[in-house]
Every structure is written in C-alpha cells, then in structure tokens.
Amino acid sequence: MGRWICCLCSRVADSLMLLLVLALSCNPSTAATASPSAPHIKPSYSFGRTFLGLDKCNACIGTSICKKFFKEEIRFDTWLSSHLKLPPSYLLSYSGNYTDDAKSWRLVDITRLTSKYRHDRADKRICTSLLKTKTCSLERALRRTHRFQKWLRAKRLTPDLVQGLSSPMLRCPSQRLLDRIVRRYAEVPDAGSIYMDHLTDRDKLRLLYTLSVNSHPILLQIFPDVEGWPFPRYLGSCGRLVVSASTRPLRDFYDAAPEVAADLALQLLTVLRSMGTNDLNYFFYFTHVDAGTFGVFSNGHLFIRDASTLGIIDKEEGSQMIDGQQEYKDIFSCLTVDCQSAFVSCNSIREKHSLVMVCQELLPKLLKGKFLQPVQEKIDSFLQHCADGLTDDQGINEAVAKLAELLKPLRSCDSRFAYRYPDCKYSDKY
C-alpha cells in the first residue's frame, strides 16, 4: 500500500512539473524573463541634427541614408568602444561601419564635402550677403536668389542654370552631361527622365547646393562603379555627410614593397587612360592631384577616392557654354571658393594634362628608390620625361607606354592582389 501511494505521489509531481513548463511557455513575458538568452536592450545613441548637418537642410546634400544612422546600421568607429562617443565634428572624414543585416559589417568612408569651418563661413556669407543679418534661414535666403528662381521654372537642367559654379565638372558642360545628372540623381526616386518634373523644389535646392559646394557625390552617382567607372560606390547622404565605400589613400602605400608599388603605378596609368578614352566619349581631367586623390580597396584595386577636382569635356557634343559665359558670379559661385578665382578655359585643356600632374606629384613618391639599377634609372628617366610636359602629347604618351612595359614584369601574382588573383595565374594579360 505504501509503495502504491509513493508511486502516485511521483506521478502527481511529474504532472505538476509538466503543467508548470506549459504555463511558462504560454506566457511570453514570463518565458522572456526566465530565458538566459533574452535580448539585451541596446544603449540609446543620441546625436544632434547639427552633427549631421540636418539642421541646415534643405541647404544640404540629401537625406537618403539618414535612417541607417538612426537605426545604428551605420556606426562611426568610436561607437564600437565602450563610451560610444561621436567623433569631433570639425574632421573632414571619418571611418565607419555599415550593415544591411546587423550581422555582417563593412567599412565605409563618411565625409563632409568641405570642412565644417568652410561650411560655417559659407552659411554666414549667405546670410550677410543676401539678408544682411548674421544668422538666417539658409533655405529661405537661397530660395529668393535669381538663380534658384530660374531652377524652379526650368523643366530641364541647361548650361545657363549652372554657369559660374566653381565645380570643375561644370566649367565646360554639355547638355548630354547635364541630362545624365538629372536622370541619375540618386537622392530622389529614379524617374529615368531628363526632365526635372520628378524633382520637388526641395530636391532642386539640394542638387544645386551640392553642385555648388562639391560635385564629388554627383560624379559617384552618374558614373557608378557597377558600370566599370573607377569610383567608390555611393551609398547615400544625410544632411551634409556623404557615405561611400571605404578606400585607403594612396599616401599609405608610399612605403609599400616594390611589387605593390609597381602594381599600383600600373593601375594609376590605366585609370588615367580610361578617363581620357571611354565608350561614352567623355574626357575627364584633373585640376589638382594629391596623395588623397586616389585610394586603394582592401582587394588591392585602385580607384579615384576624391573626384572633387575632376573636370569633364564632352568629346561627342562639345561644350554648350562659351568661356565668356563663365564670368557670371553669384552667391552659389562663392560657397567654398574665393569669388575672384579665375576659370580655366575649356580650350586650354590638353590630353596630357592629368598625366603630367601624376608624373610630377604621385608616381615619383610611389616608385622612388624601389628597384635595382638599371631598372630604377630607366623608371626615373621616363617619369622625368613625362613630368617635364614640354614635349607634345605623343611624346608623353610614348614615355608613359614605355614606363608601363617596364613595370609589368615587376608585379607579382599572389593573394595580396585579390582583385586579379588567381586570374593572373592563367592569363597573359597580367
């Protein structure tokens, strides 16, 4: 009898335990409390609209990627630390991390089109010159200008609407190039049209402001990397910050091994060749180059990191604006440069223009003292011939061609050059 009672008690206890487990699983709040793997509440990141430049919109670049910032899917490197502090606002660029699934992260560059100091100066200039006050609504002030009123009435972006802007890209504009800007402007829903009907007043002001301050993000949008153009991918803008794929500046490779230097030098010459001759018949030229103009992806591929000094000449249509028209100046001409700065004549740009600058400023620093004699002596001689810029275009092209032939066998084929490895093992191209 005692043994039967003991067995009954055991069965009752098992039933009670089963009921308790079922009750816990049916009550979500109890189960979440009991579970050791409950999601942990993330700290709330907060930063003002001022840091992003959203307080200045619509005198800004755009808002296409703001949600990524506020959902913490774009993080500055300092956000990965325990203090989660924002970096100083006066920096021109920041290293960041970007995700689409909250699991895998990739490096991005977060940049300002110009320094915060220059932005602040330009904002004050707008208020003092247009409204005669120290502070004002930038949007209201710019909307009153003669240029923007013309933009509001325009159905199509034409050369007279961009005349006098300081961007090298717009010094010799063709209608074909301007149509491409409107058709591919990524801060608005894609309409695929050359007409500006799909652009709101706000969109027009943002586009005009971006073109006036720095055309870099526009170039990334209208000549995307997925079509083979040598620019980093444009990911979006928020206020006055632009987000693009991350590259390391060329200056980081001045002390690189000889085979790396040879590879980057050849890529640099290839990029310049493609910018002079391409299927779309656009001729790209630099007005200035420095150690930050070009960058290198983690796979060893070289790209144009900063497109702000790129000018474009349409070899198919030619310039739709004569040089005299460029003399027109207004507040949009002076947002980041001195209003008195002279424009370069469209007719003065020659094909050797960019090659000479690169031979003078970048290639000697990348290739100096890297190789044994007599190879180094030949490299230095070709570079000097190119840098002098005294001969005709044909003479410089021949010097550059000989330099390229000299550098090709100095490269190596290994995993450091992931952009062409292992293809280089099986192709004579490399």
Side-chain angles (χ1 to χ4, degrees), residues 13-14 23 107 119 250 261 275 329 332 334 387 407 430:
D14 288 345
L107 289 175
H119 266 312
L250 188 63
M275 303 309 275
K329 300 284 179 69
F332 289 100
C334 316
L407 290 172
Y430 299 104

Side-chain angles (χ1 to χ4, degrees), residues 133-370:
T133 59
K134 291 184 178 179
T135 58
C136 69
S137 165
L138 298 177
E139 180 173 359
R140 190 177 302 121
L142 293 175
R143 285 178 68 92
R144 292 182 181 181
T145 60
H146 175 65
R147 188 193 293 265
F148 187 65
Q149 289 301 312
K150 285 180 67 177
W151 272 63
L152 289 179
R153 296 189 297 269
K155 291 289 185 183
R156 193 174 182 182
L157 186 59
T158 51
D160 63 295
L161 295 178
V162 299
Q163 64 176 315
L165 296 185
S166 62
S167 167
M169 183 180 76
L170 300 172
R171 289 181 187 172
C172 314
S174 69
Q175 187 59 58
R176 186 169 71 115
L177 176 65
L178 298 179
D179 288 344
R180 191 177 182 88
I181 291 174
V182 173
R183 197 171 62 247
R184 295 187 168 216
Y185 182 42
E187 287 299 311
V188 298
D190 181 19
S193 172
I194 62 174
Y195 297 102
M196 296 197 288
D197 297 335
H198 62 294
L199 269 63
T200 64
D201 294 358
R202 176 198 65 190
D203 298 329
K204 289 182 179 180
L205 181 57
R206 290 179 180 177
L207 176 57
L208 173 56
Y209 180 84
T210 306
L211 290 172
S212 303
V213 176
N214 187 326
S215 58
H216 170 77
I218 303 299
L219 273 159
L220 269 56
Q221 293 167 45
I222 67 176
F223 297 109
D225 67 309
V226 292
E227 294 180 3
W229 297 96
F231 300 109
R233 180 164 301 181
Y234 176 81
L235 298 172
S237 300
C238 185
R240 289 180 169 178
L241 292 179
V242 178
V243 183
S244 58
S246 177
T247 58
R248 288 176 59 193
L250 188 63
R251 71 172 67 90
D252 289 359
F253 296 86
Y254 283 167
D255 294 328
E259 61 273 19
V260 175
D263 184 84
L264 292 176
L266 274 170
Q267 286 192 72
L268 188 50
L269 295 176
T270 301
V271 165
L272 292 181
R273 194 178 305 117
S274 70
M275 303 309 275
T277 305
N278 51 74
D279 293 341
L280 292 185
N281 266 332
Y282 287 115
F283 170 58
F284 297 77
Y285 66 92
F286 286 99
T287 57
H288 170 78
V289 295
D290 58 36
T293 301
F294 296 90
V296 183
F297 283 123
S298 57
N299 65 356
H301 208 170
L302 181 137
F303 275 60
I304 297 173
R305 190 171 190 256
D306 179 5
S308 63
T309 62
L310 267 181
I312 302 178
I313 294 176
D314 191 334
K315 295 196 291 187
E316 188 170 300
E317 284 190 5
S319 172
Q320 302 295 309
M321 186 183 296
I322 60 174
D323 290 334
Q325 289 178 291
Q326 294 281 16
E327 298 304 318
Y328 176 85
K329 300 284 179 69
D330 65 355
I331 189 65
F332 289 100
S333 311
C334 316
L335 290 183
T336 56
V337 297
D338 179 5
C339 280
Q340 305 306 314
S341 58
F343 289 111
V344 177
S345 167
C346 299
N347 297 326
S348 67
I349 306 300
R350 297 176 61 186
E351 288 192 10
K352 68 177 184 179
H353 190 84
S354 298
L355 272 174
V356 171
M357 282 195 294
V358 167
C359 288
Q360 289 173 342
E361 301 294 331
L362 303 182
L363 289 178
K365 296 173 184 175
L366 185 64
L367 299 174
K368 183 179 179 180
K370 288 285 170 63

Side-chain angles (χ1 to χ4, degrees), residues 100-134:
D100 287 317
D101 56 14
K103 295 177 182 176
S104 57
W105 294 80
R106 51 194 168 112
L107 289 175
V108 292
D109 289 333
I110 305 169
T111 56
R112 301 183 187 277
L113 295 192
T114 187
S115 67
K116 190 173 185 303
Y117 170 73
R118 283 194 174 183
H119 266 312
D120 291 343
R121 279 188 63 189
D123 294 344
K124 288 178 182 176
R125 188 183 296 123
I126 291 169
C127 293
T128 54
S129 64
L130 297 179
L131 298 182
K132 311 302 179 186
T133 59
K134 291 184 178 179

